[in-house]
Every structure is written in C-alpha cells, then in structure tokens.
Amino acid sequence: MSGTSERGKPKILVTDPISEEGLKRLREFAEVDIALRLGEGELAEKIRDYDALIVRSGTQVTRKIIEAGRKLKVIGRAGVGVDNIDVEAATEYGVLVINAPEANTISAAEHTVALLLSLARKIPQANKSLKAGEWDRRKYMGVEVRGKTLGIIGLGRIGAEVARMALGLGMKVVAYDPYVSQERAKELGVSLLPFDEVLKAADFLTVHVPLTDETYHMISDREFEMMKDGVRIINTARGGVIDEAALVRAIKSGKVAGAAIDVFEKEPPRDNELLKLEEVIVTPHLGASTEEAQRSVAVVIAEEVQRALRGEPVKNAVNLVYVPAEILDAIRPFLTLAERLGKFTAQIISGRIESVDISYQGEVATKDTRLIGIAMLKGFLSQFADVNYVNAQLIARKMGIRVTETKTEDAENFSSLIGITVKTDNVERTVAGTVFGKNDLRIVKIDGYRVDAVPSGYMLICSYIDKPRVIGPVGVILGDHGINIAAMQVGREKIGGRAVMVLNVDNPVSEDVLEKVKTVDGISDVKLVKL
Ligand code: NAD
C-alpha cells in the first residue's frame, strides 16, 4: 500500500476523542496518533503524513485540510452527521468519507421510548416538583401507553426499532414512509398508511426522518390541526423536522398535550419558547449518548477504515454508492472487466474526448450497475488523471466529458455484455466484453468486429484491410524483434473488408517496432495497449 509508515502500517490521525476500544482496533493494523483540539492550520500541517483521519463532530474537516492531506485516502466519522466534513472537497480529491449510522440505532430508539414513557407519566415534571419540596400526586396523573396508537414518521433504522419496542409495550403502530415497502412494514407488524392518516390516528407521534428539504417543517400548523386532541409528540430525529413555533402554538392551544424533544432547530437552544412550557420535556441531544453507542461507533469506524485502506468495499460510504455485499460478489468480475475495458479504450483513441457511453446488455443490465459504470470510468480516466472510485464521475464532469448509460435486454448470444463507446473530436471507438464462467474475462467486440481476446498484459490492436500478406508480415516483424505472440485474434466485417487484429504479446513493443508494423501494406492503424 502506498503512503504507509516505514513499517508498512498505515498512519491514522484521530482528532476527536473516541472510545478506547476503537483505538485498540485501530492500533491492531495502523500507527495511530491522537491530537485533539488542533486549529485548521495545525491540522493542515499535520495531516500530510496520514492515510486516514478519524473525527467525531468536534473537528471541522475543511477543504484546506483535505487539500493538504496528500496521502489522505479516507475520513472516518465516528457517528452519523457529516456536516463538519467538506464532503464535496473530499470527493474532488478522491478521499472516501465513511460514517457509522447503524451503531447509534438502539441507543436512539431506547431514548425515544424513554421519552415516550416520560411523556406519558410526566416523570421529569414530577421529579422536578418533588425535589422542589412539593408532593403533588394529582397534578402528575399520567396515561398508559398500552393500547394507544403510536404514529411513526420515517420507518428506517431507528423508526423500525422504535416500532419493535412500542409493539412490545402493547401499542398499535402505524407509520408513514414512502420509501419503505409494505412487506417490510408487515414484517415489523406495522401498518403503513398515508401521511395524513398517520397524523389522524396517532395518540403519540414520533419522527425518525433525516432533515432534508422535503422533511423540513413537515410537521407544522396544518399537520397539528389534523391530529387528535391531546396528542403527544416526540422528536429525537433532527430539529427542523417539526416546526418549533407551530408546536408552541399547538401546545398553548391545548391541541398537543405534551412534547418530548431531544433535538432543536438551533443547538444549544437559546430563548427557545419550548423550554418555557411545562408540557415540554427536553434532553440535550442525548439520543446517541450511551457508552455502548460510543464504543460501537468507534469500533465500527475502525473496522470500516481498515477495510477502506485495504481497498475493500465499505458499508457506509457517504460519497460512494452503496452496493450490498451479496450484490457486490455477483458483479465483482464485471467490475474488473469494466475497468479493463475502460483502460483499453482509453489507449486506442486519439483526440479530445467528447463523450463516453456505457452499455449494459442482457442479465447484467438487470442488476445494480452503478458501480460497474464507475469502474469503467475509473479505468478509462486513469490514463489521463489521478482517479479512483470516489472521484471518477466528478473528474469526468470536470473534464467536460458527457457520460451516458444504456441498458438493453438483448445481449447478442451472450448472457451479459458490457461496453464502452468513446467519441472524440476525431474518432469513435466501441469495445465490449463479457465474463465467461465465473471469472474468465473477454473482449468480444472491437468497433463492431467480433473478437475473443483476453484483456490483460500487453496487447497490440491493428486495424487493417482483410487480404493475404498482412497477418504474416506483422508476425515476422514482431518475431524479428524478439516479441513473443501469446495469442492472436482477428475479426472482419466481410472478406476483403475492414478488419481488426488483436495480439496478446509477452513483451512491451517499442515505438520503432510499432512504426514498422504500420508500414505493412493494408494496415491503417496500430495501437499498443497495456492493461
Ligand atoms: P434511516 O436513514 O435509517 O431512516 C430514515 C427513514 O426516513 C428512511 O426509511 C427514509 O425512507 C425515511 N424518509 C426519508 N424521507 C422521508 C419523508 N419525506 N417522509 C417519510 N419518511 C421519509 O435513519 P435513522 O438511522 O433511522 O435515523 C433517523 C433520524 O434520527 C435521522 O434524522 C438521524 O439524524 C437521527 N438521529 C438522531 C440521534 C440523536 O442523537 N438524537 C441519533 C441517531 C440518529
């Protein structure tokens, strides 16, 4: 691995406190330095030597820092939110950003249920009152949750866990999540309903959506208006999902009986009306604040950073498409093939690149092909730029290359075909390949001519007119220069028409020899490819 310490271990810099267990995991494979509370300039200076940076929310990972991190390959966020990381700059520099969103799930769900019960039984208010010397049993009369309906907005990781726990408490659970299937909801024992129906049905309503343009203030005056009188509201997701001002109005009007809030539009909240209301109970963003969650995020991020540094797929890459492990296994040979086809094509074109079309035919077209496309671009662009899986698409865009994809069912007698067509200001070339058996990669078409070539090592690609005394002289020239031919393939449009010859050779071919091959009568173009 490049950019490692002298002892061959990668170097990792940790700039926010993470759990001892996480550090222990990191030290098993890396040289780890901890430097807390660094200023931007100090960190930019220090980052130069490191392969990976691990942060929580305390470190601002700015463009300047990412630019300075010449060896930097991965930034790990021990937690969920990556708003303290300039993900765009990281992508531009090909630095993978990973987080650990699952490690918090149980803690956030338990905190939600703790707030649900606290809200039902007014525990925080009663606690405060008793400690203030009062003994008021009537004022803190509560309600049971069993038999009540819990409305969940957002049935993702945390929402689903909250559903499971609420069902355990004997609650009825209804949910709204346009991106979750009925089967998944059924599996959880939850009724998936339209948004308004969930609002109308809920005795308790809890939100578990990310904060996006779509979810910003998704619970506001109109929504409170539709709810049952005496509804209770919980927000452990993100401040801003619930319109705080509207919630204050709904509580003051008596529509909402109580609210439990862990997250605020502005944190820490200042002069926030919610904090002044007796019906509102609050915690200072404690959803993920458990020993277990903190340990778990650190261990998960350590393992993920290790995978990323080894070049293995990671589960939670913020700036790379996620493909589940089982699908990745199925498409892995196509990733290698795609990369080689891209690299191959880059070496047989000339001129200013205008567009790249990536095609998927047959069975492969029915799969999640996003990563295959990125692999193809990565291979293609690697001839012109420093590129990796993270920045391939961005670099293509910056080079002004139009990238399109086409998918067709028909794969012309193959079970699957993937292809690349590159247009430049003076040529257009198409190369397609397939995988035979498990892992037998082949180039099967070049510019429409059928060939059967193994894409590896040194290859000589000759365009010529099909006639006698072309192939022989090419072989002789190579032989005269001590170049051994390992395999040879020809493809032609018709007898006497245009043809292409692909030779796998055991040694590099010098410019001189290429020039000699070009002089053979009938040969119109010769390109040497190295894969
Ligand atoms: P997740 O991505 O697993 O689930 C989010 C769900 O919301 C998904 O199922 C998605 O389909 C759904 N969704 C997205 N847009 C929607 C919309 N417009 N309407 C309805 N549903 C929509 O995320 P998660 O891990 O369950 O986290 C949920 C929230 O909890 C996030 O906002 C996260 O930031 C927050 N969180 C808070 C704490 C805390 O400390 N309080 C800790 C962890 C996570």
Side-chain angles (χ1 to χ4, degrees):
M1 191 192 307
S2 63
T4 50
S5 72
E6 276 166 32
R7 279 180 288 149
K9 278 185 168 183
K11 290 190 74 177
I12 298 179
L13 183 63
V14 179
T15 57
D16 287 320
I18 65 165
S19 83
E20 206 37 60
E21 251 139 304
L23 289 172
K24 200 171 135 228
R25 287 299 258 275
L26 290 172
R27 290 195 180 106
E28 284 167 14
F29 70 91
E31 220 175 84
V32 182
D33 291 323
I34 302 170
L36 309 179
R37 287 180 290 278
L38 295 179
E40 190 187 33
E42 289 169 299
L43 181 51
E45 182 60 37
K46 202 164 172 59
I47 196 72
R48 287 175 212 285
D49 297 332
Y50 292 90
D51 302 282
L53 171 67
I54 294 184
V55 302
R56 279 176 55 193
S57 53
T59 305
Q60 291 300 321
V61 188
T62 60
R63 176 174 284 271
K64 181 174 167 188
I65 291 165
I66 293 164
E67 252 166 22
R70 300 213 188 100
K71 294 182 177 171
L72 195 61
K73 295 170 193 71
V74 48
I75 300 168
R77 158 77 163 98
V80 194
V82 287
D83 28 294
N84 55 319
I85 299 169
D86 189 334
V87 177
E88 209 180 295
T91 306
E92 229 174 281
Y93 284 89
V95 177
L96 192 65
V97 179
I98 54 185
N99 65 351
E102 278 159 28
N104 283 332
T105 304
I106 297 294
S107 291
E110 286 185 359
H111 195 66
T112 308
V113 173
L115 289 176
L116 172 87
L117 290 170
S118 301
L119 200 53
R121 304 304 291 268
K122 303 183 179 162
I123 293 170
Q125 294 92 334
N127 175 67
K128 189 174 161 208
S129 147
L130 180 51
K131 284 188 171 166
E134 295 161 13
W135 183 262
D136 195 339
R137 300 184 59 226
R138 191 198 275 253
K139 190 169 172 194
Y140 300 112
M141 174 81 76
V143 291
E144 283 186 354
V145 300
R146 191 178 67 150
K148 300 280 162 39
T149 298
L150 175 67
I152 298 181
I153 308 295
L155 198 60
R157 284 178 288 251
I158 297 170
E161 201 54 48
V162 168
R164 213 179 51 77
M165 293 176 186
L167 289 166
L169 292 171
M171 298 185 84
K172 200 175 154 232
V173 181
V174 297
Y176 168 70
D177 190 323
Y179 309 109
V180 161
S181 68
Q182 284 289 354
E183 291 93 84
R184 166 82 178 133
K186 215 165 142 196
E187 213 176 87
L188 290 166
V190 173
S191 311
L192 217 48
L193 299 178
F195 183 51
D196 290 356
E197 298 305 311
V198 172
L199 299 179
K200 285 182 198 157
D203 298 300
F204 291 82
L205 187 90
T206 182
V207 291
H208 299 287
V209 291
L211 182 62
T212 62
D213 288 346
E214 202 183 84
T215 63
Y216 176 75
H217 283 189
M218 77 186 288
I219 308 288
S220 189
D221 292 309
R222 182 197 84 98
E223 287 71 30
F224 286 122
E225 197 50 49
M226 296 177 84
M227 293 181 200
K228 281 184 185 172
D229 290 340
V231 64
R232 289 172 171 84
I233 308 289
I234 303 155
N235 185 4
T236 61
R238 279 289 178 266
V241 173
I242 295 178
D243 177 348
E244 286 179 352
L247 177 59
V248 169
R249 285 191 285 277
I251 292 171
K252 284 188 174 163
S253 75
K255 181 79 184 179
V256 168
I261 309 291
D262 184 47
V263 287
F264 300 85
E265 294 198 17
K266 201 157 168 212
E267 293 183 3
R270 288 190 216 289
D271 290 331
N272 188 321
E273 275 294 302
L274 284 172
L275 301 188
K276 298 178 189 149
L277 298 173
E278 172 72 7
E279 295 88 343
V280 175
I281 63 176
V282 289
T283 46
H285 204 143
L286 292 183
S289 297
T290 61
E291 290 168 17
E292 290 84 354
Q294 289 317 306
R295 199 179 310 136
S296 168
V297 288
V299 170
V300 167
I301 218 68
E303 289 169 351
E304 289 276 273
V305 165
Q306 180 176 23
R307 276 190 209 110
L309 287 176
R310 281 189 186 148
E312 291 170 15
V314 293
K315 257 175 137 181
N316 294 299
V318 175
N319 53 356
L320 185 65
V321 292
Y322 167 61
V323 179
E326 61 281 11
I327 296 179
L328 197 63
D329 281 343
I331 63 167
R332 205 180 294 277
F334 283 98
L335 294 182
T336 316
L337 175 67
E339 193 164 342
R340 297 217 184 143
L341 291 179
K343 213 168 162 187
F344 182 98
T345 312
Q347 296 174 72
I348 61 167
I349 54 161
S350 56
R352 202 180 55 77
I353 305 153
E354 287 171 353
S355 67
V356 171
D357 183 63
I358 299 169
S359 65
Y360 309 95
Q361 292 175 254
E363 201 195 322
V364 68
T366 64
K367 299 199 181 341
D368 182 342
T369 54
R370 289 172 301 171
L371 215 50
I372 302 178
I374 295 174
M376 184 105 67
L377 266 187
K378 172 177 176 258
F380 179 72
L381 296 171
S382 66
Q383 297 299 310
F384 317 106
D386 191 9
V387 67
N388 64 16
Y389 273 93
V390 175
N391 61 10
Q393 288 166 309
L394 191 78
I395 288 192
R397 229 176 295 140
K398 287 203 163 170
M399 287 172 72
I401 302 172
R402 196 159 33 86
V403 180
T404 52
E405 298 206 346
T406 47
K407 288 191 174 192
T408 42
E409 271 174 38
D410 176 43
E412 309 163 34
N413 293 330
F414 296 97
S415 58
S416 290
L417 264 188
I418 57 174
I420 174 167
T421 299
V422 178
K423 270 191 202 143
T424 74
D425 53 3
N426 67 36
V427 287
E428 173 174 335
R429 301 209 74 163
T430 300
V431 180
T434 191
V435 179
F436 289 124
K438 265 202 172 132
N439 207 6
D440 194 359
L441 313 182
R442 292 301 163 86
I443 293 179
V444 296
K445 271 168 82 178
I446 298 175
D447 299 331
Y449 308 127
R450 175 78 177 86
V451 293
D452 190 354
V454 176
S456 82
Y458 292 102
M459 303 174 82
L460 213 56
I461 321 302
C462 312
S463 304
Y464 67 106
I465 298 295
D466 178 45
K467 62 177 190 176
R469 293 191 57 84
V470 178
I471 297 172
V474 171
V476 170
I477 294 171
L478 295 177
D480 284 350
H481 290 84
I483 293 155
N484 194 39
I485 300 172
M488 197 196 81
Q489 286 288 319
V490 291
R492 62 183 181 189
E493 53 185 9
K494 60 177 194 285
I495 295 176
R498 282 176 305 172
V500 66
M501 185 186 340
V502 182
L503 299 115
N504 290 85
V505 290
D506 292 337
N507 332 64
V509 182
S510 68
E511 270 304 318
D512 283 1
V513 179
L514 286 181
E515 285 307 318
K516 280 191 184 141
V517 173
K518 276 183 200 162
T519 61
V520 172
D521 187 31
I523 296 261
S524 56
D525 183 47
V526 182
K527 290 271 185 315
L528 177 70
V529 168
K530 182 176 182 305
L531 295 178

